[in-house]
Amino acid sequence: MSTDFNQELQDRLVHYAAIDSQSDADSPSAPSTEIQFDMLNLLKTELNEIGAQDVTLTDYGVVLATIPGTVPGPTIGFLAHVDTAPQFNATGVKPRVIKGYNGGDITFPDDPELVLSPTEHPYLATKQGHDLITASGATLLGADDKAGVSIIMTMARHLLNNPDIQRGPIRIAFTPDEEIGRGVGPQLPKDLGADFAYTLDGSDVGEIEYESFSADGAVVTITGVSIHPGWAKEKLVNAIHLASKIVQTLPQATMTPETTDGREGFIHATDMTGGSSEMKLKFILRDFEMEGLEAKGELLCQVCAAVQASEPRASITCEITPQYRNMRYWLEKNMAPVKLAHAATKAQGIEPVSIPIRGGTDGSRLTEFGVPTPNIFTGMQCIHGPKEWISVQDMATATDVCLSVVQLAAEK
Ligand SMILES: [Zn+2]
């Protein structure tokens, strides 16, 4: 295991994590929040300082840069996202370094009740002696995905300082709004100009992911009949009652996120708003196979139709919108980027594992747009919450794997 990069990775993550760059699904702008420019502008400056070329910040909020090749070869892209998850407080992150973790429970200065325990988190138990980074208990850490940003910046700085290392051309992209599914727009594949790419947005050491969910969103709108309740007998149709009937009729003991794992998909009710005259229900539908995804959409629409049939005076619509697709559909036709990442992981003495991601990455969309983009581990753990943590040594291993990817590709 290399120790060369530990201090740099630690310094970078501590610096980046303290910068609030949370995204916001309810904002229509791109990027969704102005504060993401604090990260994007900083990275643009840092890339120029380390001598990267073609450093640009696009009008759609992506920082792009080139590390010129020293030998001919395919152009490899490396991506990480600058936004942090909207699900938990991300303002005022106070990163903390625990040097040489002793293997015991970890407590947090800003929340005395909170305990990160190796018995609850077996992966933590394997990190005794490592240097860990956590937040203070009041916020998430944002290692998702500032660990990815730190790893890519460290790799870039190392390659630019060592022109004797043989490499083909490398393109770097730091994207906004990954957490709200808006990180990859239609212009990015062309602007990135990579033959294939990797996102640095995975967790356990050794994980090389090339399967994500296929994902749809659904909005159910229920319009009732609104009348003064004093004169409502046999006239009023309450949209709230119909909405709750739909929710009650959908499976709850199966096919929900809280009752599924592995390769099972789900229907997840995410949002319920409105009043007696109109209600809106929002769902996300997930499955690894298209047939399974379509079946979930059909089930939801059938439940809506059944409730509609029970009350013809109401109007119920169910609208399904595609979000992203399992990147395996494209990657299994061209497994070379996955095989290269597997070989690079093995070159670091680690057995690669490829398990399906119960979510999506920027790579899901990028792969669909024609740039094969598997996902490489960073070490991040317990993401999107106050116990989020990462091992500096795991980040160093990820940096070594990226450098091996570059070197192995140049040797071919
Ligand atoms: Zn992420």
Side-chain angles (χ1 to χ4, degrees), residues 81 144-145 178-179 201 380:
H81 63 90
D144 179 10
D145 187 23
E178 190 272 350
E179 296 288 358
D201 201 11
M380 62 170 91

Side-chain angles (χ1 to χ4, degrees), residues 52-292:
Q53 294 185 4
D54 314 321
V55 182
T56 47
L57 172 53
T58 69
D59 56 6
Y60 51 92
V62 175
V63 172
L64 294 165
T66 303
I67 301 169
T70 59
V71 295
T75 301
I76 307 177
F78 288 93
L79 291 91
H81 63 90
V82 302
D83 65 316
T84 55
Q87 287 87 345
F88 199 77
N89 180 22
T91 306
V93 177
K94 290 185 272 176
R96 160 187 65 158
V97 181
I98 298 166
K99 283 276 179 194
Y101 170 54
N102 66 9
D105 283 356
I106 294 172
T107 53
F108 294 80
D110 290 345
D111 185 352
E113 307 284 292
L114 196 68
V115 179
L116 174 59
S117 155
T119 44
E120 207 183 324
H121 301 278
Y123 190 77
L124 178 62
T126 69
K127 300 300 164 188
Q128 206 166 342
H130 283 220
D131 304 324
L132 308 184
I133 303 178
T134 75
S136 62
T139 65
L140 51 67
L141 173 64
D144 179 10
D145 187 23
K146 284 161 181 170
V149 174
S150 304
I151 290 161
I152 293 172
M153 284 299 295
T154 301
M155 172 192 69
R157 198 272 315 141
H158 180 73
L159 288 172
L160 289 161
N161 278 4
N162 294 278
D164 49 312
I165 300 174
Q166 293 214 331
R167 59 176 191 250
I170 293 165
R171 287 283 283 161
I172 289 170
F174 295 123
T175 56
D177 291 335
E178 190 272 350
E179 296 288 358
I180 57 170
R182 289 164 20 195
V184 176
Q187 289 136 289
L188 185 61
K190 189 172 155 286
D191 292 349
L192 180 64
D195 294 302
F196 57 91
Y198 299 95
T199 49
L200 270 291
D201 201 11
S203 58
D204 296 13
V205 163
E207 283 179 6
I208 305 295
E209 295 157 322
Y210 64 94
E211 262 212 86
S212 58
F213 268 144
S214 284
D216 285 348
V219 178
V220 173
T221 307
I222 303 130
T223 311
V225 177
S226 181
I227 290 179
H228 186 293
W231 291 269
K233 191 170 183 190
E234 289 167 2
K235 294 193 186 82
L236 185 137
V237 178
N238 192 329
I240 296 174
H241 296 169
L242 299 175
S244 46
K245 215 167 166 183
I246 290 170
V247 173
Q248 277 305 317
T249 309
L250 282 166
Q252 290 182 4
T254 59
M255 226 189 277
T256 57
E258 61 271 37
T259 59
T260 51
D261 61 9
R263 299 191 71 90
E264 298 167 317
F266 56 72
I267 300 175
H268 180 35
T270 58
D271 208 47
M272 188 167 182
T273 53
S276 59
S277 60
E278 188 183 271
M279 290 290 291
K280 263 192 203 304
L281 300 176
K282 288 186 187 168
F283 298 88
I284 59 171
L285 315 177
R286 299 289 185 264
D287 204 283
F288 286 100
E289 304 303 334
M290 281 312 293
E291 304 91 78

